[in-house]
Amino acid sequence: MADSNPDEISSVLFMAREALVYKVPPRTTTEGYRASTWNDQGFLWKGRVRVLEIGERCEIRLEFKVDAQFLGELFALTRYTPTNNAVEPVLDSSRYFVLRVEGEGGRKAYIGMGFEERGDAFDFNVALQTISKRTTAASEPVAAKEEVKDYSLKDGQTFSIKIPGRERRRAEATSEGSGGGMMGAGGVPLLAPPPPSTRKR
């Protein structure tokens, strides 16, 4: 029986009113399970399946049906995480799975579970994928905030900006002023006027 905590938030990710449980023979190869080796022997149990998210854990509950009502009494329980291999799809059908169930005293066993409707099997897979995505998102480290650089000037600091071409124009103007003469048309230098004493009267 799962640990219960009244403060934990519980939500139902999936529910099928009817699923079938089968006895699974020991696996003889490492390639996986095949439903064709056990589902023709008849099922062992029929009842409801629910996938519950309780706090930070996920439980797959197989529950008895009593007098056409589901009272939540457990037939078997699987604690699922994306990495514990507690649920394994079979190789030859999309409607059957092998569950690792837990009993009293921590005992574990493997059972086959099948859905008569393919849609139920699809929704069951979607619920497990939802748990996997949430677990992955929760385990990812939070990206560190980028350090904000301060480019403001401190007291006493100055800076200069060089505009391309401006220094060249300033140098040309300086050289013209230092030559002592003005240039006329065609680059011919203009002579300064004579002193007043040499002018004709």
Side-chain angles (χ1 to χ4, degrees):
M1 182 69 65
D3 299 333
S4 59
N5 185 343
D7 296 329
E8 288 182 319
I9 299 176
S10 176
S11 60
V12 179
L13 301 182
F14 167 79
M15 183 180 69
R17 295 183 62 86
E18 191 168 275
L20 306 175
V21 169
Y22 301 85
K23 181 180 179 181
V24 176
R27 184 165 55 179
T28 57
T29 65
T30 59
E31 66 175 357
Y33 293 95
R34 294 183 179 275
S36 58
T37 63
W38 37 268
N39 65 1
D40 58 350
Q41 302 174 5
F43 62 88
L44 298 176
W45 178 87
K46 179 191 294 187
R48 181 173 71 173
V49 178
R50 290 194 300 162
V51 178
L52 301 179
E53 187 177 28
I54 307 172
E56 296 183 354
R57 70 180 187 275
C58 173
E59 294 182 357
I60 302 171
R61 293 171 172 255
L62 307 180
E63 299 172 336
F64 283 100
K65 181 178 180 180
V66 180
D67 296 332
Q69 294 183 350
F70 295 102
L71 304 179
E73 184 178 354
L74 281 176
F75 169 76
L77 170 70
T78 296
R79 290 183 173 89
Y80 174 78
T81 69
T83 58
N84 68 355
N85 298 319
V87 179
E88 185 176 345
V90 300
L91 300 176
D92 56 347
S93 176
S94 63
R95 295 187 294 114
Y96 294 88
F97 305 84
V98 174
L99 308 184
R100 187 180 67 200
V101 297
E102 302 178 15
E104 297 294 336
R107 292 179 301 175
K108 295 178 174 61
Y110 291 88
I111 61 173
M113 181 185 72
F115 298 100
E116 294 185 345
E117 299 294 334
R118 197 173 301 277
D120 286 341
F122 176 82
D123 293 341
F124 177 74
N125 265 322
V126 170
L128 299 187
Q129 291 172 7
T130 299
I131 292 295
S132 298
K133 291 178 181 179
R134 292 179 183 176
T135 303
T136 301
S139 62
E140 290 179 349
V142 179
K145 294 183 179 179
E146 294 185 1
E147 181 181 355
V148 179
K149 296 183 178 181
D150 183 10
Y151 294 101
S152 61
L153 292 177
K154 304 298 186 295
D155 292 339
Q157 286 183 329
T158 60
F159 70 96
S160 61
I161 299 176
K162 292 184 178 182
I163 300 176
R166 189 165 186 174
E167 294 296 328
R168 180 181 177 184
R169 289 196 297 271
R170 182 179 299 173
E172 291 175 353
T174 302
S175 63
E176 290 177 0
S178 62
M182 296 182 294
M183 305 297 290
V188 178
L190 298 178
L191 298 177
S197 59
T198 62
R199 292 183 179 178
K200 294 182 179 180
R201 296 182 180 179

